[in-house]
Amino acid sequence: MSRILSDVERIKAASRHLRGTLAESLADAVTGALAEDDTQLSKFHGIYQQDDRDQRSERKRQRLEPAYSFMIRARVPAGICTPAQWLNMDRVATEKANGTIRLTTRQAFQLHGVIKSGLKAAIAGINREMMDTLAACGDVNRNVMAPTLYDLTDVHRQVQADARRLSDHLTPATNAYHEIWLDGTKLPLENDDRAADVEPIYGRTYLPRKFKSAFVVPPQNDTDIYSQDLGFIAIVENGQLVGYNVTVGGGMGMAHGEPETYPRLADILGFVTPDNILAVAEAVVTTQRDHGDRTNRKHARLKYTIDDRGIDWFRAEVVERSGVAVAAPRKFAFTSNGDVYGWQADAAGAWHYTLFIQNGRVADTGDRRLLAGLRRIAALHHGEFRLTPNQNLTISSVRDEDRESIESLLTEFGIENELQASALRLNSLACVAFPTCGLAMAESERYLPSLIDTLEGHLIDAGLGNEPITIRMTGCPNGCARPYIGEIGLVGKGPGTYNLYLGAGFAGERLGCLYRENIGETEIIEALLPLFEAFGAARADGEHFGDFLVRTGVVREVTAGRNFHAAEVAHG
Amino acid sequence: MRASTAPLLTLPLDGGQSERLRQALAGLTPDQLQWVSGYAAGLAAAASVPAQAAAPSTLSDGANTLTVLYGSQTGNGKGVAERLAARAKEKGFGVSLQSLADYKPSQLKREVLLSFVISTHGEGEPPDDAELFHEYLFSKKAPTLAGIRYSVLALGDSSYINFCQTGRELDQRLADLGALRLQPLAECDVDYEEVADRWVGDVLARVPDLISATSPVPQLRAVTVAPRFDKNRPFHAEVLVNQKITGRHSSKDVRHIELSLEGSGLHYEPGDALAVIVRNPPALVQQLISAVGLDGATPVDVAGESLSLETALSEKLEITATSTGFLKAWAAYGSGELKSLLEQGDRAVLSELVDGHQVIDIVRRFPATVDAAGLASSLRKLGARSYSIASSQRANPDEVHLTVAAVRYDAFGSEHWGAASTHLADRLGEGDRVFVYVEPNSRFHLPADDSADIVMIGPGTGVAPFRAFVEERAERGAQGRNWLFFGDRTFGSDFLYQLEWQRHLKSGALARLDLAFSRDQSEKVYVQDRIRAQGKDLYEWIRSGASIYICGDSKHMAGDVEQALVDVIALHGNTGAAEAKARLKELRRDGRYQRDVY
Ligand code: SRM
Ligand SMILES: Cc1cc2nc3c(=O)[nH]c(=O)nc-3n(C[C@H](O)[C@H](O)[C@H](O)COP(=O)(O)OP(=O)(O)OC[C@H]3O[C@@H](n4cnc5c(N)ncnc54)[C@H](O)[C@@H]3O)c2cc1C
Ligand SMILES: Cc1cc2nc3c(=O)[nH]c(=O)nc-3n(C[C@H](O)[C@H](O)[C@H](O)COP(=O)(O)O)c2cc1C
Ligand code: SF4
C-alpha cells in the first residue's frame, strides 16, 4: 500500500490550525461554494458543504452551479440542552436554515439549507446560547454521547457529568473558530513550531480520521457503545458507580465491494475507576494519533489500527501512555439498544417524557406539528431536554405541576407517541441521505417511513404487531444510522436498491449478516415476509428476531468485523 | 408559376430523384423557390471545394498529443487517467489530461488520439462530470470523427444490471461516429486496478507510432459562396439547443438558444445581432379574430399577395407591438373615445397606449366594426426581432447562440405573449427551423487592439454580447483584461451563465466579475451601485485606455449606469459633472464608450 499521505493530511498541515482560506472563501461572491480545500476544513468547524441533489443535473443544463447550501452540526455533549438553547436553535433554523431541526444519531443538532451568505450569522446565532459547532465533525473527537435515561439512582447524573468532562478535555484548542465565525481577536499566528502548545492533544494535523466516544449505563445500550471508537460502560455495584469498562475499536463504516473495509464491534479493554477516565481516554486518542493510518482514509479509523496491531499491543500502549493500570473487566449485561418511551420518574421524583421523533426530523407536517409543539413546550418548560442517540427527544426533569400542561400540548400538536408509532416504527432509525447528503446512493429518511407502513401490516398478520424489532436504514454503506446492528439493516446500493442485513443482536451486541444484495421494495418484502411468519410461529420464549434468525440458521452468526464479509461469501 | 410544371425531366436526375425533387418543391412560393435555388447553389459550391484547397483550422493542440479524458464520480477513474497521463509523459509524449466536465466538445474534431476512462453510476448512467459530454456525443450535434483513434476503459460494478453501461455506450458511439478503435473496450469490476493497469500498458504500447505518424485532420473552414444569405434571403437555421438557463425559483424564463449556421456561409462579429423572423402566437391570432368577429378564412391582400386573414395575422402582420399608425386607423373605424384620446395628443397617454397595450388590448378596449381588409391594412408588417449574438464564431464555427428572455405577462385580465421571444422559447424545439439573418453592428465591436482592456456592463440579457466578447478574446489569446459587471434578481436562480463565468475567471479570460443581485437582500442593489463602489479601480482602467461597453435595458438601466460613470469620472478625476460628461462624450467619439441598448 502507498506510503503517500492522503490529501486531507496536506490540507490539515497547511491550514494553520483549521484556518485555511475560509475567510476568503466566505467573501467570494461569484460562487455559493467554498474553495475545495476549505470544504475539508469547514468540517472541523461543524459545517458541511452540500448541494440539493434533486436539482443537480437540471442546474448543470442551466449553466448554473449546483444549488450549494450548508449543513451545520451543533455539538450537544451528553445530549443535554436547555429550553433556551432549544428556542434559539428553533429561531436559527427558521431564520437561516430550511425551517427544520434534525436530531442526529449522536445526540446532536443539524440544520440544513443554510446558504453561504447566511453562514456566519447562523453560526453566531447558535453560539448566542453557549452552544457551539466546533469539532462536531472533522478528524477529532466528535460529540460525546451519554445515556438519557433515568433510574432511581443518581448514577446517570454522574455519568453525564463524566461525559461532559471528557468532551471538554478533548475539544480542540485552536482559536480559528472564534476568529472566523465570532470575529474573535486574532491570536499571534499559531505557526508550526508552536503547534504543540496550541493543540497539546491533537498536534498540527489532528487525528488520522474522525473519532467517536460514548458512555452507557447497562442494561440499556442506547448509545450503541460497541459502535464507538472509545466507550465507557458504567459499572454499578449496589447502587454506586464504581467505574467503567473501557471499550475501543468500534465503527460502522465500510464501502461496497471493498472487503478490506468493514463494520466492527468494539473490544473491551478493561476496567478503570472514574478518576482515571481522562488519562485513559487521552492515551487512546494519542495512540491513534501516532499509529493510525494517515495514507488511506478508508483504513484510518481506530478499528483498523487495532485489527492491524492487535488488542494486546494496543492495551500496552494505553497503559504505558496513561500510567493507569487497566484492570480486568467487570460484569454487566445489556437488554436493548433502543430508547424507553413515555413518562418515567427519577430518584428526585422529577418526570421525564421520551418523545418519538421519526428519523429525528423536527418539522411541522400536516397535523403532526413537532416544531411548533416543541416551541410551545420549551417556552413553559423549567427542566431540560435530552437528545437521544436514537434520534428522539426526552423532555427532562418536568415538575409534577407542569406535567399536565405538557401532556395537553403533546396532544394539541398531535405529537405524543401513541398518535404516531407502532412497535416497529418506535425501533426504527434512518439516516438523512437525499437530498442533502453528498454520499447518498439511495433514499433513506424520505423512504423508510413508507416502507414501515407496509411492513407493519405484515407483522400484524404474523401476530407480531407489538413485537419490538429494530429496523435501520442508511442511504450508503457508511452506516450513519448504525444499520449493521439493527435486526433488520437496509443499506443503500443504488437508486431504489438496498443490501439487506439480518441477525444483529437486539442490544447491539452482534453484527448483522448480508442476506440479500441490491434489492428493491418488492424483493425486500418478499424476503422478510416468510421470516416474519416463521418467527411468529417458531420463536422461543422472549426470543428476539435477530437471535431467532441466527439460531435457525437463516443467517450465520457474525462473530467479528473481520469476518463480516467472510460471512457474506459463506452465505453466497 | 407552380413548381410541378417545371421541366424537371431535362435535368441530370434519375426518375426517383426528380420525383423526390418535384415533391419537395411542390407548392413553394416564388420567393421560396428562389431561396432554394440559391441554397442548392451554395451546397454545390461547398461540395465542389477540394479538401486540400481548404484552409486548415488554426493549428490544434490535438496534433501529436495523447488526450486522456475521464468521467469519474468517486475518483477511481480519475486515478487511472492520471496514471496513464503520467506514464505517457515519462515516455516523452505530449499529453493533455482533462475531466470531461472541462473538455470542450468542439475540440473533438481536432483530436488525433483519445483515451477515455469512464465509470457508470445511477442506474447505468454516466458520472456527473461526464453527463453533458455524454449528452452532446449522443445528440445530433456530434461531429464525425473519421481518422481519430481511441480507446475506452470502463469502470463498473458487476452487481449492477447495467454493468459498465456508460463505457460500453461510449465505445460504441465513438465507432459509429467514424473513429477507429485502438484496442477493444476494457471493462473493470470494483477490483479495477489489475485490468486498468493492463489497459494503460496496452495504450502506451500503441502510442509511439500513432502520434508521430498521424497529423491533424484538416478542417474545412466554412466556405462562403453565393448567394449570401441576408435580409432578403434569410437563412433557415436549425435549432440545436433551446435550454432554460434560469433556475427553478426564478421569476423569469431566459433561454439559451443555439442555431446551426452550417452551409449558410453567414459570418458575424461579436457585438453583431441576429434578426429572427417569427410567427405570432397562434392563441393570440385566434383571440384577435374572434375579438373583431371575423372569419379567419376570409382572403386578404398583404403586399400584393393574397392569403387568408388567419395566415396574414400569424405570419405577416404585427399584432403584439402596437403602433401609432394602428391607433389612428383603428380610431377611424369607430370608437369616438379612442379618437378623442388621440386628438388630445397627450404624449403620456399616447405612449401608455402604445407601450402598455398590445393590439388585442386596443381592440377589446375600443370596440369597432371592421372588415378583414380593413383590419389587415391597419396593421404594420410583422417585423423581425433582433437578438444580440451571444457566441463567438471563432469558438463555434457553425453556430450562433442567443440569450432570450421570454416575454409573458398578464394585463387587462388576460395572458399576454411577446411574439418572437415566445416563438423562440415555446414554439421552437430542437430540430425545428427558423429564418434568420445577421445584423452587423459596427458601433458595438471589440477594440481592434487585443492588448486593450475592456469593461462590460450587462445586466440581465444584456450580458449576451459579452459572452461572445469573452469567448472571442479567449480564442484570440488577447492580452487585454476583461472586466464584467452583471446583475439580475437573485444569485440562486438568475446568475446567467454562472458556470461559464467561473471557468473564465479560473482561466484568466475574465479578469474581474462584479455582481449585483437586486432581490437577495432587503435593500435593492444594482450594477450602477457596484460601479460606484468600484469607482477608484474603474477610473484607473479608463485612464489607462480601457473601453466601456453597456448592453441591455434602455428604459432605466442605460441611463442609471451612464450617470454612475459620470459620477465615477467626476469623483476620481476630481472634475465637475459637466467636465465628466464631456469626458464621456470624448470616449464615445473615440469609440471607447459603446452602447447596445434596447
Ligand atoms: C446526521 C447523521 C445521521 C443521522 O441521521 O443522524 C450523519 C450524517 C452524515 N454522516 Fe455520518 N452521520 C451521523 C452519524 C454517524 C454514525 C453513527 C454514530 O456515530 O454513532 C456513523 C457510524 C459510526 C462510525 O463512525 O463508524 C457514521 C458514519 C459516517 C461515515 C463513515 C465513517 C467511517 O470511517 O467509516 C461518513 C463518511 C466519512 O466519514 O467519510 C459519514 C458522513 C456523514 C455526512 C456528514 C456525509 C458527508 O460526509 O458529506 C452525513 C451528512 C448528511 C446530511 O445531509 O445531514 N458518517 N455517521 C449522524 C450525525 C451524528 C453526529 O451528530 O455527529
Ligand atoms: C439590438 C437589440 C438587441 C437585443 N438583444 C436581445 C437579447 O439579447 N435578448 C433578449 O431577450 N432580447 C433582446 N432584444 C429585445 C428583442 O429584440 C425583443 O424586443 C424582445 O425579445 C421582445 O420581443 P417579442 O417579439 O417577444 O415581444 P413583442 O411581440 O415585441 O411584444 C412586446 C410588446 O408587449 C408589450 N409588453 C412587453 N412586456 C410588457 C410588460 N411587462 N407589460 C406591459 N406590456 C408589455 C409592449 O407593448 C411590447 O411592444 C434586443 C433588441 C435589440 C434592438
Ligand atoms: C450510486 C452508484 C451507482 C452505481 N451504478 C452502477 C451501474 O449501474 N453499473 C455499474 O457497472 N457500476 C455502477 N456503480 C459502480 C461504479 O461504477 C464503480 O464504483 C466505479 O469504480 C466508480 O468509478 P469512479 O470512482 O471513477 O466513478 C455504481 C456506483 C455507485 C456509487
Ligand atoms: S449513511 Fe451515507 S447516505 Fe446516510 S447520511 Fe450517512 S453518508 Fe449520507
Side-chain angles (χ1 to χ4, degrees):
Chain A
M1 190 220 315
S2 78
R3 294 273 103 228
I4 309 151
L5 291 183
S6 72
D7 198 43
V8 180
E9 293 300 322
R10 169 190 62 81
I11 296 170
K12 286 186 282 185
S15 73
R16 295 174 296 117
H17 294 286
L18 310 181
R19 286 169 178 79
T21 58
L22 274 165
E24 293 81 343
S25 278
L26 290 174
D28 180 355
V30 174
T31 172
L34 305 173
E36 203 174 340
D37 285 2
D38 291 332
T39 61
Q40 291 301 329
L41 296 173
S42 69
K43 297 179 184 180
F44 290 79
H45 300 253
I47 297 163
Y48 279 84
Q49 179 172 309
Q50 307 182 315
D51 71 281
D52 180 351
R53 297 184 62 185
D54 292 348
Q55 292 190 59
R56 229 183 233 179
S57 70
E58 153 189 336
R59 285 181 66 92
K60 206 178 309 129
R61 283 180 181 66
Q62 292 164 339
R63 291 164 160 73
L64 295 168
E65 73 178 8
Y68 289 113
S69 70
F70 295 83
M71 178 269 278
I72 300 178
R73 190 180 286 166
R75 223 163 24 128
V76 189
I80 301 171
C81 153
T82 67
Q85 288 173 324
W86 181 277
L87 290 170
N88 186 55
M89 196 54 67
D90 179 319
R91 185 170 346 124
V92 178
T94 319
E95 290 170 4
K96 295 286 169 208
N98 68 358
T100 73
I101 298 176
R102 183 59 156 69
L103 309 183
T104 75
T105 54
R106 292 196 66 77
Q107 302 180 277
F109 286 113
Q110 273 189 192
L111 302 181
H112 291 100
V114 180
I115 58 170
K116 191 167 87 173
S117 55
L119 205 44
K120 234 178 136 163
I123 299 287
I126 290 169
N127 280 267
R128 201 162 40 211
E129 281 295 339
M130 309 308 298
M131 184 178 286
D132 73 8
T133 66
L134 174 62
C137 332
D139 298 342
V140 291
N141 180 57
R142 304 287 189 92
N143 196 46
V144 177
M145 294 206 282
T148 57
L149 289 169
Y150 283 84
D151 57 13
L152 294 174
T153 74
D154 207 34
V155 169
H156 285 84
R157 294 191 192 284
Q158 297 172 38
V159 172
Q160 283 162 357
D162 283 343
R164 293 172 110 165
R165 277 201 299 141
L166 178 67
S167 176
D168 294 341
H169 189 66
L170 295 180
T171 300
T174 175
N175 192 52
Y177 185 81
H178 282 74
E179 226 173 86
I180 296 170
W181 305 107
L182 309 176
D183 299 317
T185 51
K186 277 205 171 26
L187 292 187
L189 186 66
E190 298 170 357
N191 53 22
D192 300 350
D193 38 12
R194 290 184 51 246
D197 32 286
V198 175
E199 293 286 10
I201 298 178
Y202 293 115
R204 193 164 119 260
T205 52
Y206 296 83
L207 298 182
R209 202 66 163 85
K210 56 173 60 164
F211 187 91
K212 299 175 172 182
S213 39
F215 288 70
V216 72
V217 180
Q220 211 66 20
N221 184 21
D222 52 353
T223 58
D224 260 325
I225 205 75
Y226 297 115
S227 67
Q228 306 297 305
D229 294 271
L230 172 62
F232 293 93
I233 302 172
I235 301 300
V236 181
E237 289 168 4
N238 39 49
Q240 298 303 313
L241 174 72
V242 297
Y244 298 93
N245 282 351
V246 180
T247 65
V248 292
M252 291 283 108
M254 63 163 207
H256 287 310
E258 299 180 28
E260 66 280 12
T261 68
Y262 48 83
R264 183 184 191 278
L265 296 189
D267 303 308
I268 298 187
L269 200 65
F271 175 85
V272 302
T273 51
D275 53 319
N276 283 328
I277 57 174
L278 295 190
V280 169
E282 185 170 330
V284 170
V285 168
T286 57
T287 304
Q288 164 66 355
R289 177 196 66 200
D290 301 340
H291 296 282
D293 182 352
R294 291 181 186 263
T295 66
N296 174 5
R297 305 266 309 163
K298 288 182 174 175
H299 185 258
R301 291 291 293 273
L302 178 63
K303 60 183 177 184
Y304 300 117
T305 313
I306 291 176
D307 269 352
D308 292 351
R309 295 169 178 263
I311 187 69
D312 297 331
W313 168 87
F314 189 80
R315 186 183 292 102
E317 269 291 323
V318 171
V319 170
E320 160 81 37
R321 289 172 183 243
S322 64
V324 175
V326 177
R330 305 274 180 99
K331 272 202 155 14
F332 67 95
F334 287 131
T335 55
S336 141
N337 62 358
D339 287 343
V340 175
Y341 290 98
W343 289 106
Q344 307 168 72
D346 69 13
W351 290 97
H352 309 273
Y353 183 85
T354 297
L355 172 66
F356 172 69
I357 294 180
Q358 183 144 268
N359 305 335
R361 185 67 67 177
V362 179
D364 293 338
T365 41
D367 33 8
R368 271 229 255 108
R369 290 157 53 222
L370 275 164
L371 193 67
L374 286 166
R375 191 178 298 142
R376 287 276 298 281
I377 289 171
L380 62 79
H381 182 37
H382 295 284
E384 289 165 334
F385 290 101
R386 298 268 191 279
L387 282 57
T388 85
N390 288 296
Q391 305 172 321
N392 297 314
L393 185 71
T394 301
I395 305 164
S396 208
S397 308
V398 176
R399 304 177 308 189
D400 253 327
E401 57 268 40
D402 295 336
R403 191 176 149 166
E404 212 169 287
S405 43
I406 287 181
E407 269 169 347
S408 59
L409 284 174
L410 290 171
T411 326
E412 180 186 338
F413 287 86
I415 55 181
E416 82 254 51
N417 301 335
E418 295 64 23
L419 290 180
Q420 22 180 353
S422 69
L424 183 67
R425 200 177 297 275
L426 286 171
N427 289 282
S428 68
L429 289 182
C431 74
V432 180
F434 285 98
T436 53
C437 179
L439 305 176
M441 301 173 182
E443 293 283 351
S444 184
E445 179 185 324
R446 295 197 294 194
Y447 170 55
L448 183 60
S450 68
L451 178 63
I452 288 178
D453 292 339
T454 325
L455 292 177
E456 278 166 350
H458 297 301
L459 282 167
I460 292 167
D461 299 345
L464 300 167
N466 302 323
E467 178 65 21
I469 296 175
T470 54
I471 178 170
R472 296 173 169 191
M473 173 178 281
T474 59
C476 86
N478 285 325
C480 297
R482 302 183 287 263
Y484 312 108
I485 41 180
E487 291 175 293
I488 302 173
L490 288 159
V491 173
K493 185 91 193 280
T497 63
Y498 300 82
N499 284 0
L500 172 61
Y501 297 85
L502 296 173
F506 185 73
E509 77 285 9
R510 179 182 60 243
L511 287 167
C513 169
L514 181 68
Y515 181 67
R516 292 273 187 275
E517 195 171 3
N518 213 16
I519 57 175
E521 173 154 331
T522 349
E523 299 108 310
I524 292 173
I525 290 164
E526 278 166 13
L528 289 174
L529 232 152
L531 301 179
F532 288 160
E533 283 159 0
F535 179 53
R539 69 185 295 185
D541 203 16
E543 185 176 37
H544 284 290
F545 187 52
D547 300 334
F548 170 80
L549 297 179
V550 171
R551 175 174 62 86
T552 55
V554 172
V555 289
R556 97 172 8 213
E557 175 179 14
V558 177
T559 51
R562 263 226 199 69
N563 56 39
F564 179 74
H565 300 291
E568 257 173 51
V569 179
H571 177 80
Chain B
M1 174 179 82
R2 302 198 41 254
S4 53
T5 65
L8 283 178
L9 304 177
T10 65
L11 292 172
L13 302 172
D14 66 41
Q17 291 173 315
S18 60
E19 185 43 42
R20 264 177 277 122
L21 181 55
R22 185 196 302 282
Q23 288 166 2
L25 298 180
L28 295 191
T29 66
D31 256 11
Q32 292 169 316
L33 281 168
Q34 199 172 28
W35 176 86
V36 171
S37 67
Y39 181 69
L43 290 181
S48 65
V49 178
Q52 63 274 24
S57 68
T58 46
L59 229 241
S60 82
D61 44 8
N64 285 305
T65 58
L66 163 65
T67 302
V68 182
L69 300 173
Y70 61 87
S72 177
Q73 190 87 24
T74 52
N76 298 348
K78 182 166 187 269
V80 177
E82 286 166 349
R83 220 172 313 145
L84 171 58
R87 289 188 46 195
K89 270 208 193 67
E90 286 166 17
K91 292 184 176 296
F93 300 123
V95 182
S96 132
L97 170 72
Q98 289 184 66
S99 155
L100 283 168
D102 311 330
Y103 185 71
K104 233 170 155 301
S106 57
Q107 182 68 18
L108 266 180
K109 289 186 193 153
R110 306 181 189 163
E111 300 291 355
V112 172
L113 181 53
L114 275 165
S115 286
F116 291 88
V117 181
I118 193 157
S119 62
T120 301
H121 283 267
E123 290 154 312
E125 290 136 28
D128 288 348
D129 56 352
E131 195 175 346
L132 294 187
F133 177 84
H134 185 267
E135 202 174 82
Y136 168 88
L137 203 68
F138 283 81
S139 75
K140 60 163 68 68
K141 291 184 70 180
T144 61
L145 300 177
I148 295 178
R149 306 298 197 85
Y150 74 95
S151 57
V152 177
L153 178 72
L155 277 72
D157 173 345
S158 54
S159 72
Y160 291 90
I161 320 98
N162 313 314
F163 178 54
C164 289
Q165 171 113 344
T166 306
R168 290 174 179 175
E169 289 168 355
L170 176 64
D171 183 67
Q172 187 49 46
R173 178 61 173 171
L174 290 166
D176 297 346
L177 291 171
L180 302 175
R181 225 182 245 103
L182 196 56
Q183 68 208 64
L185 169 71
E187 296 180 349
C188 301
D189 209 334
V190 280
D191 49 358
Y192 59 93
E193 293 295 350
E194 194 184 329
V195 185
D197 287 340
R198 207 175 318 111
W199 178 81
V200 168
D202 294 349
V203 174
L204 291 171
R206 289 177 171 73
V207 175
D209 28 272
L210 280 165
I211 39 188
S212 37
T214 343
S215 67
V217 204
Q219 300 289 305
L220 278 177
R221 269 251 185 67
V223 252
T224 321
V225 289
R228 295 193 84 289
F229 293 99
D230 56 21
K231 201 170 180 10
N232 312 322
R233 261 206 204 74
F235 174 67
H236 210 193
E238 180 180 4
V239 177
L240 299 174
V241 174
N242 175 351
Q243 171 64 53
K244 181 171 184 283
I245 55 170
T246 41
R248 269 189 200 187
H249 307 297
S250 177
S251 52
K252 303 181 190 171
D253 178 355
V254 176
R255 301 302 177 100
H256 173 72
I257 296 196
E258 300 187 358
L259 304 173
S260 168
L261 294 183
E262 205 151 6
S264 70
L266 282 175
H267 174 75
Y268 62 83
E269 286 296 320
D272 291 348
L274 191 76
V276 180
I277 295 165
V278 302
R279 298 180 172 197
N280 285 307
L284 181 58
V285 171
Q286 294 315 321
Q287 286 175 11
L288 186 54
I289 289 173
S290 57
V292 290
L294 291 168
D295 173 359
T298 323
V300 290
D301 270 30
V302 179
E305 198 183 334
S306 161
L307 20 75
S308 75
L309 176 64
E310 182 172 353
T311 314
L313 291 177
S314 99
E315 296 174 25
K316 303 290 178 188
L317 300 170
E318 188 70 65
I319 62 170
T320 50
T322 310
S323 67
T324 44
F326 166 73
L327 290 175
K328 289 206 181 64
W330 193 252
Y333 294 135
S335 165
E337 188 190 351
L338 179 57
K339 201 177 277 127
S340 52
L341 266 179
L342 295 179
E343 274 155 5
Q344 290 163 21
D346 178 333
R347 298 214 99 288
V349 176
L350 198 61
S351 68
E352 197 280 327
L353 283 174
V354 175
D355 299 336
H357 292 65
Q358 295 200 359
V359 167
I360 183 86
D361 303 321
I362 301 290
V363 170
R364 283 183 175 144
R365 181 169 160 192
F366 308 103
T369 41
V370 62
D371 61 13
L375 176 61
S377 62
S378 70
L379 295 167
R380 272 191 307 164
K381 198 158 174 306
L382 178 57
R385 306 290 199 260
S386 307
Y387 293 90
S388 310
I389 290 175
S391 53
S392 148
Q393 199 163 25
R394 260 201 189 68
N396 313 270
D398 295 332
E399 300 170 9
V400 61
H401 303 174
L402 306 177
T403 312
V404 178
V407 172
R408 300 189 199 98
Y409 62 97
D410 289 322
F412 311 105
S414 74
E415 192 179 357
H416 287 55
W417 307 274
S421 58
T422 62
H423 183 80
L424 290 166
D426 304 341
R427 299 189 290 280
L428 282 185
E430 302 180 2
D432 295 342
R433 290 176 177 269
V434 58
F435 282 103
V436 302
Y437 57 90
V438 173
E439 283 184 324
N441 181 358
S442 56
R443 309 186 79 280
F444 197 74
H445 279 175
L446 280 166
D449 175 1
D450 275 350
S451 65
D453 297 339
I454 63 172
V455 177
M456 302 164 283
I457 303 159
T461 54
V463 81
F466 302 136
R467 180 176 182 266
F469 278 24
V470 174
E471 266 187 0
E472 173 81 7
R473 290 194 120 199
E475 278 292 311
R476 281 200 216 158
Q479 291 309 307
R481 296 172 302 168
N482 307 321
W483 181 356
L484 173 67
F485 286 88
F486 173 77
D488 211 307
R489 286 181 179 168
T490 68
F491 171 87
S493 293
D494 305 307
F495 193 164
L496 305 183
Y497 300 110
Q498 178 184 27
L499 286 177
E500 297 184 10
W501 300 126
Q502 290 178 345
R503 213 178 309 120
H504 289 317
L505 280 167
K506 208 141 139 243
S507 73
L510 193 59
R512 280 182 75 157
L513 174 56
D514 282 276
L515 299 164
F517 292 102
S518 57
R519 303 197 177 178
D520 281 348
Q521 58 286 309
S522 42
E523 76 288 358
K524 295 241 185 293
V525 179
Y526 299 105
V527 278
Q528 55 266 32
D529 303 312
R530 291 283 181 254
I531 288 169
R532 288 199 176 84
Q534 303 297 334
K536 195 168 176 310
D537 293 4
L538 183 54
Y539 184 74
E540 270 317 305
W541 278 53
I542 297 173
R543 246 171 35 107
S544 59
S547 299
I548 308 169
Y549 297 84
I550 301 179
C551 180
D553 166 61
S554 57
K555 285 191 196 62
H556 313 96
M557 187 276 289
D560 298 348
V561 166
E562 180 152 319
Q563 186 53 54
L565 290 173
V566 171
D567 296 347
V568 165
I569 294 172
L571 176 63
H572 300 280
N574 39 54
T575 69
E579 217 171 318
K581 279 207 179 65
R583 194 62 214 293
L584 206 55
K585 270 214 182 55
E586 283 169 36
L587 289 173
R588 189 162 216 158
R589 195 197 54 221
D590 307 346
R592 281 182 50 203
Y593 173 40
Q594 304 189 358
R595 300 166 26 129
D596 185 24
V597 297
Y598 47 88

